[in-house]
């Protein structure tokens, strides 16, 4: 949302006004905001994948614990094709 406002100001104040220092300054701000967004996206990916791996690990542990409590008949029923 911020970049669209900065772009509008860039056009209005910088390009139309032929203010080259303002164009460079605003372009730098845009690059900084884009870099921060990129870092935030990488952080999001890292933490989401970490949480997903932990959920999978807990599910596998719970399933393994459940399978160990099955009786011989239940195990045979699960192993036989339908």
């Amino acid at each position: 949302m911020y970049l669209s406002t900065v772009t509008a100001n860039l056009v209005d104040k910088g390009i139309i006004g032929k203010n080259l220092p303002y164009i460079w300054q605003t372009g730098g701000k845009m690059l900084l905001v884009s870099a921060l967004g990129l870092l935030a996206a990488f952080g999001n990916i890292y933490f989401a994948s970490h949480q997903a791996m932990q959920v999978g690990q807990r599910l596998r542990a719970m399933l393994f614990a459940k399978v160990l409590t099955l009786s011989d008949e239940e195990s045979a029923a699960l192993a036989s094709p339908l």
Side-chain angles (χ1 to χ4, degrees):
M1 298 292 279
Y2 176 70
L3 284 179
S4 60
T5 304
V6 173
T7 303
N9 288 337
L10 177 69
V11 171
D12 293 342
K13 297 177 184 176
I15 295 174
I16 293 176
K18 296 181 182 174
N19 187 354
L20 192 57
Y22 183 80
I23 294 172
W24 281 105
Q25 180 185 11
T26 306
K29 285 181 188 178
M30 293 173 77
L31 286 174
L32 181 63
V33 169
S34 297
L36 290 174
L38 185 63
L39 288 175
F42 282 137
N44 183 30
I45 291 168
Y46 172 78
F47 288 117
S49 63
H50 190 267
Q51 289 300 313
M53 287 189 299
Q54 284 184 342
V55 168
Q57 183 181 15
R58 277 187 251 132
L59 286 173
R60 285 189 304 275
M62 290 169 47
L63 180 62
F64 184 72
K66 178 65 177 173
V67 168
L68 290 179
T69 64
L70 294 177
S71 68
D72 289 338
E73 293 83 21
E74 291 171 324
S75 296
L78 289 175
S80 66
L82 297 175

